[in-house]
Amino acid sequence: ICGECLQISPPFTQIISPFCYQFPIDAIIHEVKYLQRQYWVKSLCPALVNQIKYRYTGDVFPELLIPVPLHPSKEKQRGYNQALLISQCISSSFGIKICRRSLHKKRQTKSQTGLNKTDRIRNLKGSFCVHQQALISKKHIALIDDVVTTKATVELASKLLMASGASRVDVWCLARTPKTRDS
């Protein structure tokens, strides 16, 4: 548990991530997102699956996987959502249903790359909404993303899911930015 989470409890229960977002993982994820190299997801997901198995010893697995959505125009431009690709790998390993349509990105935002947490929060404000609340009501959810950096995206999405009736939200991602003294 990081110091920031000790000061202010996040809306999610835990983040599970097998990799630090640094070389070579950052370069690989960049290739997935911007160079159409989706095949890397299948190479990285087994490490996430193993980490999940380890962390859920004695705990209850989520009932739904919800990939962090891209804005429809961004997904159309890219041709896929990397969080959905990760969700599909996890779903096939654990048999957990993917609920893709519950969380929606309704507003296009500028890239989060290079923004600090305050600017990311400002950039994301009002960009997500929840549809089909009945599907997530009283459900334990795993929110899936490729990278967690400042936690701005997963905090906002988790707050919306919890406010819409989810009983618990855990975050599963491939990589997490390591904390430094300055962050």
Side-chain angles (χ1 to χ4, degrees):
I1 299 175
C2 71
E4 183 180 344
C5 291
L6 286 172
Q7 288 179 337
I8 302 171
S9 294
F12 50 82
T13 302
Q14 62 181 329
I15 296 177
I16 296 177
S17 172
F19 300 108
C20 285
Y21 190 62
Q22 55 194 21
F23 187 81
I25 299 301
D26 59 346
I28 291 170
I29 290 175
H30 179 85
E31 288 184 10
V32 170
K33 289 169 97 163
Y34 304 111
L35 299 177
Q36 299 288 315
R37 301 215 172 113
Q38 305 97 297
Y39 57 81
W40 280 116
V41 171
K42 286 187 179 180
S43 298
L44 297 174
C45 274
L48 178 55
V49 166
N50 287 336
Q51 190 75 13
I52 292 165
K53 285 178 186 174
Y54 171 75
R55 294 283 290 276
Y56 281 85
T57 302
D59 198 356
V60 177
F61 276 89
E63 300 163 86
L64 293 174
L65 304 177
I66 297 183
V68 171
L70 295 174
H71 186 270
S73 64
K74 178 77 159 215
E75 187 168 345
K76 185 177 180 182
Q77 175 189 11
R78 185 171 290 163
Y80 56 91
N81 176 349
Q82 66 279 1
L84 178 60
L85 297 177
I86 296 164
S87 297
Q88 290 166 339
C89 288
I90 293 169
S91 178
S92 68
S93 294
F94 295 110
I96 303 171
K97 181 182 172 189
I98 299 170
C99 188
R100 184 173 187 197
R101 302 289 178 214
S102 290
L103 188 62
H104 179 72
K105 190 157 186 189
K106 64 181 182 177
R107 183 175 62 78
Q108 179 79 308
T109 56
K110 67 180 180 178
S111 173
Q112 299 278 77
T113 305
L115 299 179
N116 64 31
K117 185 167 185 173
T118 302
D119 291 337
R120 286 173 183 241
I121 291 168
R122 190 175 301 120
N123 186 41
L124 290 171
K125 188 171 183 172
S127 64
F128 291 109
C129 63
V130 173
H131 293 295
Q132 303 169 329
Q133 289 181 322
L135 293 176
I136 62 170
S137 180
K138 299 180 180 152
K139 297 281 194 295
H140 177 183
I141 293 168
L143 182 64
I144 313 298
D145 208 355
D146 56 348
V147 178
V148 172
T149 51
T150 64
K151 301 186 311 248
T153 300
V154 297
E155 284 179 341
L156 176 60
S158 295
K159 282 179 188 173
L160 286 170
L161 292 168
M162 292 297 291
S164 297
S167 63
R168 174 176 163 182
V169 177
D170 297 341
V171 177
W172 298 350
C173 60
L174 292 177
R176 184 157 183 204
T177 301
K179 284 283 190 186
T180 63
R181 289 178 168 252
D182 298 330
S183 40

